[in-house]
Amino acid sequence: MAPGNQLRFAISDRINDDQVSPAHIPLILLGEFQKDVNDFLRGSSRDLDLSKVIVSIKEGSLAFVVSGLLSARSLWSDLEHLGFTQSLGSIDPKRAGVLARWQNAAQKNPDRCYSVSDPSDRVFFSIDSASSLHKTEESWVYVEKYVHGHIVDMGGSTRANVHLKLESGETLTIASTQELLAQGEQNRLYRPALLHVTAEENLHTGELRNLNLIAFEDYHPAYSENQFRLMVERGTLAWSNVPNSTEWVEKLRGNL
């Protein structure tokens, strides 16, 4: 799904026999809805600068029309996932938490309905008392991998660590030792870096936790046709016994 610039978040309900609207909504419900929209937009990756987001309040139940969303890559990716699955396990965990709260509220109140749509009135999803969104159990596996970004902080008098800012804007905190950070003569701070780490990775979201530094790797970005061809050959061999790679991944995520 190509990123757009605008979304419409709407809530409908009846309070004291009157339809919820900008002129008639309990203060607590308004505050909860505003916070949920904020959390859903921002997610865990925080790739959206909310200071640049503009909101207008519209009639038609109560609707927030949010503009300035072109940079929210993870938001549009999650909306695409929600278009073809009822599983909350394949989207950002903070956004999944918002939808779980909305479903719980709608199940307790049959008049309550939430929806998210675009300017052309295409509805990405709606949640009411009959919705059946489900959250698969989190699956964490031990991994050893390489992560690339810019080191924005490192050190610590008691707990040594490295703060690595990724291209997505997310910053990883990677535990280390003072001895490992002291190795080498070059200044690594505020420079691109490739780190060899161990971590726990969520099979459904790709989130990493409990990261530990193994080593700083030499980072000299350059394209090698031979290296690329070798990686393709290795990947092809590794997946040769999997008839449908997309189906295999979706099964791991609990979507099939």
Side-chain angles (χ1 to χ4, degrees), residues 6 43 132 153 155 189 204 215 223 248:
Q6 192 177 89
S132 58
D153 192 15
L189 196 58
H204 302 297
Y223 174 75
W248 184 82

Side-chain angles (χ1 to χ4, degrees), residues 26-209:
L27 180 61
I28 291 179
L29 181 57
L30 177 63
E32 290 175 348
F33 188 55
Q34 183 273 330
K35 181 180 182 303
D36 284 342
V37 171
N38 179 90
D39 290 347
F40 190 88
L41 288 171
R42 199 166 194 180
S44 301
S45 65
R46 297 174 179 265
D47 57 3
L48 179 64
D49 183 357
L50 291 180
S51 67
K52 298 179 180 179
V53 170
I54 303 299
V55 175
S56 58
I57 301 177
K58 302 290 185 179
E59 289 284 353
S61 301
L62 175 78
F64 291 162
V65 177
V66 185
S67 303
L69 305 178
L70 282 174
S71 64
R73 291 173 295 179
S74 66
L75 170 65
W76 294 101
S77 175
D78 283 349
L79 287 172
E80 182 177 16
H81 280 297
L82 289 168
F84 63 81
T85 178
Q86 292 292 299
S87 172
L88 298 181
S90 61
I91 68 171
D92 179 278
K94 285 198 173 181
R95 293 192 180 108
V98 171
L99 300 190
R101 289 198 297 273
W102 286 358
Q103 180 168 259
N104 183 57
Q107 288 173 343
K108 293 178 179 178
N109 184 350
D111 292 322
R112 181 76 56 87
C113 180
Y114 301 86
S115 67
V116 176
S117 57
D118 66 10
S120 66
D121 290 329
R122 177 178 55 153
V123 177
F124 293 111
F125 65 85
S126 63
I127 297 176
D128 57 25
S129 58
S131 298
S132 58
L133 295 170
H134 59 276
K135 189 171 184 180
T136 56
E137 292 185 7
E138 293 187 340
S139 299
W140 296 87
V141 295
Y142 175 86
V143 295
E144 186 174 317
K145 63 192 310 174
Y146 295 89
V147 288
H148 169 255
H150 278 73
I151 295 177
V152 295
D153 192 15
M154 60 187 297
S157 58
T158 56
R159 293 185 179 180
N161 56 45
V162 177
H163 293 190
L164 185 73
K165 187 173 184 179
L166 308 181
E167 290 184 0
S168 66
E170 179 186 5
T171 299
L172 300 178
T173 300
I174 304 168
S176 181
T177 64
Q178 293 179 347
E179 292 76 17
L180 188 53
L181 297 187
Q183 292 177 4
E185 298 180 357
Q186 73 270 35
N187 177 21
R188 295 190 174 94
L189 196 58
Y190 305 122
R191 297 183 179 180
L194 183 66
L195 276 59
H196 187 189
V197 302
T198 61
E200 293 176 355
E201 183 172 17
N202 190 304
L203 284 175
H204 302 297
T205 66
E207 179 187 358
L208 298 175
R209 70 181 185 185

